[in-house]
């Protein structure tokens, strides 16, 4: 470790999700020394979001000895442009859906001009899994994040796929049903509109409207139903809730079979809140994948759930961007 690393032994990692923003102070061994979170939404302007973030960040920065100990910052964010440090037309962000937001620059200015790097949130999760999680040793895999939206991080031959503009890996906006649900991106029938946490809740509401079938979910206001409510009901044997997960898993399996044809991954790794439903999602997913995948790819891909707790994979992945940037 050189003297600069001794003086500045930490980087900041930010997992910027559609619901929560989780900040971590990370050392060179990948240990999260301090962590704090704020709500991502509820801000009219990005400047208000950044100011709220800095207020929270300073609490944990002080815990590790102040800003002089921070070497760089990495951010994982929806519609994040790795090359420019911007968030561009992110459909699920109230302050980021109408244009290009120079988020890396805004954070850098507030943090004494430390280097700040930014990448897509699912790419950050993939980097975290490759460095610290279930993807260690894998050279070809796809991470699929199942949260407020559906994101993906694609690794081929050991390298993150960014494409010509930094936006490669938007598999959540693959069209699954040409005349299907309207997605936040403006297109119809996107995978995200069905297989995100919000998509699961939407499916549950549709199923409740279309049938008179008994369900524990009928005790809730339709607009208040969440994917967690569906998961709890399904785990109690609720038939309608189980049908929701079968529908979701079947579509996700079909999508993975489609994704296999271009990169032949060793594994699909699922990350995010929806994975807590476990076999409710994974059993129909794997069954559907096996039904749809080309014979040449059969029985080659593993299906794994992230072993890193909560937002740790994305925070660690974002911090890896910070370490990479600080060494340039």
């Amino acid at each position: 470790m050189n003297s600069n690393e001794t003086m500045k032994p930490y980087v900041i990692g930010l997992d910027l999700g559609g619901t929560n923003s989780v900040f971590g102070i990370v050392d060179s061994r990948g240990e999260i020394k301090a962590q704090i979170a704020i709500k991502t939404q509820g801000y009219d302007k990005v400047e208000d979001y950044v100011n709220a973030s800095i207020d929270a960040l300073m609490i944990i920065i002080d815990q590790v000895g102040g800003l002089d100990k921070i070497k760089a910052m990495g951010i994982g964010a929806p519609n994040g442009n790795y090359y420019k440090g911007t968030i561009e037309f992110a459909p699920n962000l109230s302050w980021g859906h109408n244009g290009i937001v120079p988020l890396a620059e805004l954070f850098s200015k507030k943090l004494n001009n430390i280097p700040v790097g930014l990448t897509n949130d699912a790419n950050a999760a993939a980097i975290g899994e490759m460095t610290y999680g279930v993807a260690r040793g894998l050279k070809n895999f796809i991470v699929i994040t199942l949260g407020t939206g559906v994101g993906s991080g694609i690794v081929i031959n050991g390298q993150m796929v960014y494409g010509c503009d930094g936006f490669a890996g938007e598999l959540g906006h693959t069209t699954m049903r040409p005349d299907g649900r309207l997605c936040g991106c403006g297109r119809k029938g996107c995978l995200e509109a069905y297989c995100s946490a919000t998509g699961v809740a939407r499916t549950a509401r549709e199923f409740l409207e279309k049938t008179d079938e008994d369900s524990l979910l009928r005790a809730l206001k339709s607009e208040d139903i969440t994917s967690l409510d569906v998961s709890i009901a399904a785990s109690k044997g609720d038939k309608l809730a189980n049908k929701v997960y079968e529908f979701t898993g079947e579509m996700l399996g079909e999508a993975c079979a489609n994704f296999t044809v271009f990169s032949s991954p060793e594994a699909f790794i699922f990350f995010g809140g929806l994975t807590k439903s476990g076999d409710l999602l994974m059993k129909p997913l794997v069954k559907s994948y096996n039904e749809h995948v080309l014979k040449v790819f059969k029985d080659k891909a593993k299906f794994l759930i992230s072993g890193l707790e909560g937002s740790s994979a994305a925070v660690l992945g974002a911090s890896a961007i910070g370490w990479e940037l600080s060494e340039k």
Side-chain angles (χ1 to χ4, degrees), residues 34-262:
Q35 198 163 298
I36 197 166
I38 67 167
K39 293 292 182 186
T40 301
Q41 310 285 24
Y43 303 97
D44 294 328
K45 299 177 181 177
V46 66
E47 290 81 6
D48 297 334
Y49 167 76
V50 172
N51 287 334
S53 296
I54 296 298
D55 288 343
L57 250 180
M58 292 313 298
I59 295 169
I60 58 172
I61 289 172
D62 288 343
Q63 287 174 18
V64 299
L67 195 50
D68 289 343
K69 300 286 186 183
I70 306 298
K71 197 171 183 182
M73 179 178 182
I75 302 170
N79 287 47
N81 188 324
Y82 174 73
Y83 297 130
K84 295 182 179 178
T86 52
I87 292 177
E88 305 189 13
F89 302 97
N92 296 319
L93 297 180
S94 58
W95 44 263
H97 64 269
N98 281 329
I100 298 172
V101 176
L103 196 67
E105 181 186 336
L106 291 171
F107 269 103
S108 182
K109 284 179 178 176
K110 293 283 186 178
L111 295 168
N112 287 357
N113 295 312
I114 64 169
V116 179
L118 183 150
T119 191
N120 180 280
D121 50 354
N123 289 347
I127 293 166
E129 291 292 349
M130 188 162 47
T131 312
Y132 307 108
V134 296
R136 277 179 294 186
L138 299 183
K139 297 291 186 185
N140 295 277
F141 65 92
I142 298 176
V143 168
I144 296 178
T145 58
L146 303 170
T148 308
V150 173
S152 62
I154 303 168
V155 172
I156 297 176
N157 297 336
Q159 293 188 319
M160 200 78 231
V161 175
Y162 288 111
C164 68
D165 56 3
F167 287 115
E170 286 292 348
L171 296 179
H173 296 291
T174 301
T175 301
M176 298 301 298
R177 300 292 180 265
D179 293 313
R181 296 174 184 171
L182 184 65
C183 180
C185 73
R187 284 152 52 101
K188 283 187 176 181
C190 289
L191 182 66
E192 177 169 293
Y194 294 91
C195 296
S196 60
T198 43
V200 166
R202 198 167 164 182
T203 300
R205 284 192 284 272
E206 285 183 7
F207 282 19
L208 287 166
E209 287 169 13
K210 289 178 181 177
T211 175
D212 294 327
E213 188 174 345
D214 285 341
S215 173
L216 296 170
L217 297 171
R218 293 195 186 279
L220 304 170
K221 285 185 179 177
S222 180
E223 64 271 21
D224 292 339
I225 292 171
T226 66
S227 62
L228 179 60
D229 295 322
V230 182
S231 178
I232 291 169
S235 67
K236 291 179 179 177
D238 189 284
K239 288 183 179 179
L240 185 140
N242 271 282
K243 286 176 185 175
V244 170
Y245 273 101
E246 284 168 15
F247 173 86
T248 306
E250 283 171 8
M251 186 177 291
L252 201 49
E254 181 186 341
C256 288
N258 290 338
F259 303 156
T260 295
V261 301
F262 67 80

Side-chain angles (χ1 to χ4, degrees), residues 118 264 279:
L118 183 150
S264 188
D279 282 349

